[in-house]
């Protein structure tokens, strides 16, 4: 008799990736598929990241699925950059439309996943004690979902409340009348600080590394634009999938190093006024030439100095130690202007490092800052953290934690040698965080679905890649990264440097989404080169 817990496929995670993977396997291939999700609802990143100001930095008309024309036409975004509640509404709409919830187990955290060689099945154990078996295991756990709370001495003795932005309480946090400390000035801190400052009595920002940020110039979408985006959906999708970044705009085919200074200034000024990540697309050499990058870096630093009235704060905020966009560039609404408020102060942890957290607040080498609430906007154990937490064991009981002790090794970011029938959506070694994620996710889901369809059609039981294929792909990942300025930032989470003890390996594929897509298509057309079936 069939065990009810035996399936064709198990998908871990019900965000953008897991939901589309369910639709593809269940509705396209007719596979018995179950999604396991730790949260109580769909949404992934957008389920957990409910901090004030949480907003996507991709434009709304590109931050959506394009696989269903009907869905593209029926959904309407309200703003240029969608806020977290609106994205969550969108994903719930998708779950309703495609009747996904009946195949998702919510509040179900995966404890371990082991490959049973005798039966060619993955055996997944959940925290609640359930055991599920399936031929295929597909991780859709997101790249930025394992919260990084720095191991700061004394946190357990802090008398106030503390929160990490990536695990924000659903009921919200009341900042009224409170003294709040925010640690971290990445995209998250930059979004949250202005919102918290509107409400709190006082905000102290603890900055370790100064960051570039571009104005988002967010605004409600006009009726004209909404109509334009629907009428031109095919063209927009074409642009998103034929450029390197997955965004609905191309990178200009001109070089900053060949452009006269006054023209550069005008181009940057126009991009600054327009707002958003298009600034990064103004010249094609910004991420490959230090001289080109310097022109953008200096333009933004000049803007920061002009925006901040207090010269001491201005210097701390503009003293940026890395090339522009070599870390993921934030976009903001009133971030720098927030430092002109009387209730916002700035502490440079580079000048006075944090020593410990004491019951009253944060103690640096200079003084104690009394606080009621500490907000950790300190990022994530990116790209590998959530995968390693799954305790995956492959052939012969080998552990992913051991295999990746010196850094992740994958084939195309999709498969791992020694782990048959395991697919990793937006895994390390794929473009993922270097581009707008929904088109990258759609490409991975469709490629995985085609591969599984191929196996079903030919009655193949297992697929696995080899060490050699993974080594060759890692060489390509390294080559692509080293052709850019990205590895120059020694403390970037692209390199795992934000988590003490994590190996320093450049994890995403910097060769561009369209190039990567053509490699994946070519691999499939070539009989899934680098993969073995049985
Ligand atoms: P990020 O980009 O990793 O930023 C984390 C911030 O927290 C950054 O400013 C860090 O400084 C700071 N940080 C991390 N650990 C510490 C400690 N121990 N002490 C002081 N400061 C610290 O995470 P985000 O959540 O902002 O953004 C992640 C992505 O999510 C983003 O790219 C968007 O795509 C959405 P550092 O620079 O390491 O010195």
């Amino acid at each position: 008799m069939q065990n009810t817990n035996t399936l064709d496929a198990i998908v871990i995670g019900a965000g953008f990736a897991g939901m589309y993977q369910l639709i593809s396997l269940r509705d396209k291939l007719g596979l018995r598929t179950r999604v396991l999700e730790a949260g109580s609802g769909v949404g992934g990143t957008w389920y957990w990241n409910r901090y004030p100001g949480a907003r996507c930095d991709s434009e709304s008309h590109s931050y959506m699925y394009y696989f269903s024309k009907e869905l593209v036409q029926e959904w309407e975004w309200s703003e240029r950059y969608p806020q977290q509640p609106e994205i969550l509404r969108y994903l719930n709409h998708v779950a309703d439309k495609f009747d996904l919830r009946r195949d998702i187990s919510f509040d179900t955290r995966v404890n371990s996943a082991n490959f049973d060689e005798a039966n060619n099945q993955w055996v997944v154990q959940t925290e609640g004690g359930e055991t599920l078996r399936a031929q295929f295991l597909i991780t859709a756990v997101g790249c930025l979902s394992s919260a990084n709370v720095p191991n700061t001495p004394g946190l357990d003795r802090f008398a106030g409340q503390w929160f990490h932005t990536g695990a924000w309480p659903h009921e919200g946090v009341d900042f009224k009348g409170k003294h709040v400390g925010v640690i971290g000035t990445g995209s998250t801190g930059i979004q949250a600080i202005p919102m918290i400052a509107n409400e709190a009595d006082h905000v102290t920002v603890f900055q370790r590394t100064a960051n570039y940020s571009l104005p988002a110039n967010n605004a409600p979408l006009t009726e004209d634009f909404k109509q334009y985006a629907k009428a031109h959906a095919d063209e927009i999708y074409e642009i998103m999938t034929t450029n390197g970044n997955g965004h609905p705009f191309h990178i200009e085919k001109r070089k900053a190093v060949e452009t006269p200074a006054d023209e550069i200034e005008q181009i940057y000024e126009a991009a600054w006024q327009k707002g958003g990540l298009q600034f990064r697309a103004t010249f094609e050499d910004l991420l490959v030439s230090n001289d080109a990058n310097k022109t953008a870096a200096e333009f933004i630093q000049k803007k920061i100095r002009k925006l901040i009235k207090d010269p001491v704060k201005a210097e701390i905020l503009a003293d940026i130690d890395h090339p522009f966009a070599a870390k993921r560039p934030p976009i903001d609404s009133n971030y720098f202007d927030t430092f002109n408020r009387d209730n916002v102060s700035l502490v440079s942890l580079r000048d006075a490092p944090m020593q410990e957290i004491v019951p009253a607040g944060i103690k640096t080498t200079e003084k104690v800052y009394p606080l009621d609430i500490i907000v950790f906007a300190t990022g994530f154990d990116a790209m590998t953290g959530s995968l390693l937490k799954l305790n995956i064991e492959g052939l012969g009981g080998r552990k992913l934690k051991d295999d990746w002790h010196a850094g992740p090794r994958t084939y195309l970011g999709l498969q791992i040698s020694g782990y048959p029938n395991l697919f990793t959506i937006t895994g390390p070694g794929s473009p993922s965080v270097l581009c707008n994620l929904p088109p990258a996710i759609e490409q991975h889901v469709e490629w995985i679905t085609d591969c599984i369809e191929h196996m079903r059609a030919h009655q193949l039981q297992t697929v696995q890649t080899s060490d050699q294929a993974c080594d060759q792909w890692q060489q390509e990942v390294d080559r692509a990264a080293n052709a850019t300025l990205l590895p120059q930032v020694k403390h970037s989470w692209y390199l795992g440097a934000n988590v003490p003890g994590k190996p320093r390996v450049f994890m995403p594929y910097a060769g561009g989404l369209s190039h990567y897509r053509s490699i994946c298509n070519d691999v499939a057309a070539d009989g899934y080169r680098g993969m073995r079936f049985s």
Side-chain angles (χ1 to χ4, degrees):
M1 210 179 82
Q2 185 78 56
N3 180 332
T4 49
N5 279 341
T6 300
L7 303 142
D8 296 317
I10 295 170
V11 177
I12 306 176
F16 262 98
M19 289 168 66
Y20 184 35
Q21 191 65 75
L22 172 60
I23 295 168
S24 303
L25 295 181
R26 185 190 70 182
D27 301 343
K28 187 171 172 219
L29 302 190
L31 263 56
R32 288 165 307 156
T33 307
R34 178 142 290 271
V35 178
L36 307 178
E37 166 57 55
S40 306
V42 298
T45 290
W46 302 104
Y47 176 86
W48 299 106
N49 283 267
R50 296 170 187 240
Y51 61 86
R55 193 186 284 284
C56 185
D57 46 20
S58 296
E59 286 171 290
S60 52
H61 66 292
S62 67
Y63 201 74
M64 59 194 290
Y65 295 114
Y66 269 78
F67 70 83
S68 160
K69 284 189 194 294
E70 196 180 288
L71 180 61
V72 171
Q73 292 304 318
E74 77 192 10
W75 183 260
E76 194 158 294
W77 295 105
S78 66
E79 290 178 278
R80 181 176 176 193
Y81 295 99
Q83 287 201 57
Q84 175 270 336
E86 191 170 20
I87 303 172
L88 199 55
R89 274 201 302 281
Y90 169 72
L91 290 169
N92 274 287
H93 169 75
V94 175
D96 291 338
K97 182 179 174 69
F98 294 94
D99 192 14
L100 300 184
R101 287 193 190 77
R102 68 185 155 94
D103 290 307
I104 305 176
S105 299
F106 293 108
D107 301 307
T108 303
R109 193 174 282 283
V110 169
N111 260 356
S112 65
N114 306 277
F115 189 68
D116 168 3
E117 287 171 55
N119 295 297
N120 286 331
Q121 277 180 333
W122 280 96
V123 184
V124 172
Q125 307 272 357
T126 71
E127 210 173 61
E130 205 184 353
T131 304
L132 299 103
R133 292 176 159 267
Q135 184 183 4
F136 298 104
L137 178 65
I138 298 147
T139 61
V141 291
C143 301
L144 298 159
S145 44
S146 178
N148 169 40
V149 179
N151 190 6
T152 322
L155 182 56
D156 53 337
R157 293 193 305 276
F158 179 53
Q161 295 173 289
W162 66 268
F163 306 94
H164 187 281
T165 49
W168 201 254
H170 287 202
E171 64 280 11
V173 176
D174 186 3
F175 291 108
K176 271 188 220 81
K178 302 282 202 281
H179 280 224
V180 182
V182 181
I183 307 175
T185 52
S187 299
T188 301
I190 282 175
Q191 288 182 341
I193 288 161
M195 302 297 290
I196 299 174
N198 279 337
E199 207 188 314
D201 201 37
H202 192 91
V203 177
T204 307
V205 176
F206 294 87
Q207 174 191 282
R208 187 163 68 180
T209 309
N211 213 344
Y212 300 95
S213 184
L214 302 162
N217 271 349
N218 184 47
L221 290 178
T222 62
E223 283 311 312
D224 278 357
F225 185 83
K226 288 181 193 172
Q227 279 175 24
Y228 166 86
K230 286 192 197 301
H232 294 82
D234 289 347
E235 284 161 55
I236 291 167
Y237 181 70
E238 174 75 11
I239 297 172
M240 283 160 57
T241 52
T242 53
N243 67 28
N245 57 35
H247 286 286
F249 50 81
H250 283 296
I251 294 168
E252 297 290 343
K253 293 252 168 283
R254 61 184 172 213
K255 291 186 169 45
V257 291
E258 292 169 359
T259 308
D262 55 340
E263 224 176 283
I264 291 183
E265 186 80 10
Q266 279 169 20
I267 289 168
Y268 286 151
E269 186 58 40
W272 182 270
Q273 295 307 330
K274 187 170 186 227
L277 292 173
Q278 280 99 325
F279 190 99
R280 194 176 46 172
T282 45
F283 295 99
E284 64 179 357
D285 52 351
L286 290 188
L287 276 180
V288 294
S289 151
N290 271 312
D291 288 342
N293 193 284
K294 237 170 132 184
T295 62
E298 283 171 0
F299 178 89
I300 300 170
Q301 284 164 307
K302 214 163 62 192
K303 285 281 187 196
I304 297 172
R305 289 198 176 94
K306 217 164 144 188
L307 281 165
I308 311 288
K309 294 189 183 120
D310 173 347
V312 177
K313 282 181 180 172
E315 216 30 61
I316 295 172
L317 288 161
D319 185 14
I320 307 175
D321 65 357
H322 54 274
F324 163 66
K327 283 173 133 184
R328 205 161 185 221
I331 61 174
D332 71 86
S333 299
N334 299 325
Y335 175 63
F336 291 114
D337 199 32
T338 296
F339 290 92
N340 293 327
R341 297 177 63 127
D342 292 338
N343 71 333
V344 176
S345 44
L346 176 63
V347 175
S348 167
L349 294 178
R350 203 165 63 179
D351 299 330
M354 192 156 68
Q355 277 189 324
E356 60 175 323
I357 292 177
V358 292
I362 290 178
K363 184 178 173 200
T364 69
T365 49
E366 254 172 15
K367 61 181 269 201
V368 172
Y369 294 85
L371 299 167
D372 303 306
I373 299 176
I374 300 175
V375 173
F376 287 92
T378 42
F380 301 89
D381 182 355
M383 308 206 65
T384 53
S386 302
L387 283 170
L388 293 176
K389 276 188 184 164
L390 298 174
N391 295 314
I392 298 176
E393 290 189 16
L395 293 175
R398 61 196 287 173
K399 293 181 169 58
L400 191 60
K401 276 195 180 105
D402 297 338
D403 283 339
W404 282 7
H405 76 277
R409 279 280 187 282
T410 69
Y411 183 46
L412 304 168
L414 276 161
Q415 277 236 301
I416 308 164
S417 174
Y419 300 80
N421 292 4
L422 169 69
F423 294 97
T424 50
I425 303 176
T426 63
S430 74
S432 66
V433 292
L434 295 180
C435 54
N436 179 31
L437 271 156
I441 286 170
E442 285 190 333
Q443 184 260 337
H444 262 194
V445 168
E446 286 159 14
W447 195 92
I448 292 167
T449 307
D450 287 350
C451 182
I452 292 177
E453 189 175 26
H454 168 85
M455 290 176 69
R456 307 289 279 192
H458 296 87
Q459 288 165 1
L460 300 165
Q461 286 304 304
T462 61
V463 56
Q464 57 176 315
T465 186
S466 62
D467 287 343
Q468 193 198 8
C470 291
D471 287 347
Q472 279 174 1
W473 182 246
Q474 189 57 40
Q475 282 169 21
E476 168 60 10
V477 172
D478 292 344
R479 182 209 60 76
N482 291 330
T484 71
L485 307 179
L486 299 176
Q488 287 188 12
V489 189
K490 295 297 170 227
H491 47 273
S492 130
W493 57 256
Y494 293 152
L495 277 158
N498 61 329
V499 177
K502 192 167 172 171
R504 302 272 173 117
V505 174
F506 193 86
M507 294 183 285
Y509 178 57
L513 183 60
S514 58
H515 179 58
Y516 171 79
R517 175 188 294 270
S518 65
I519 294 173
C520 291
N521 289 347
D522 188 50
V523 163
D526 197 15
Y528 292 95
R529 186 176 66 238
M531 294 158 78
R532 255 190 352 264
F533 296 98
S534 71

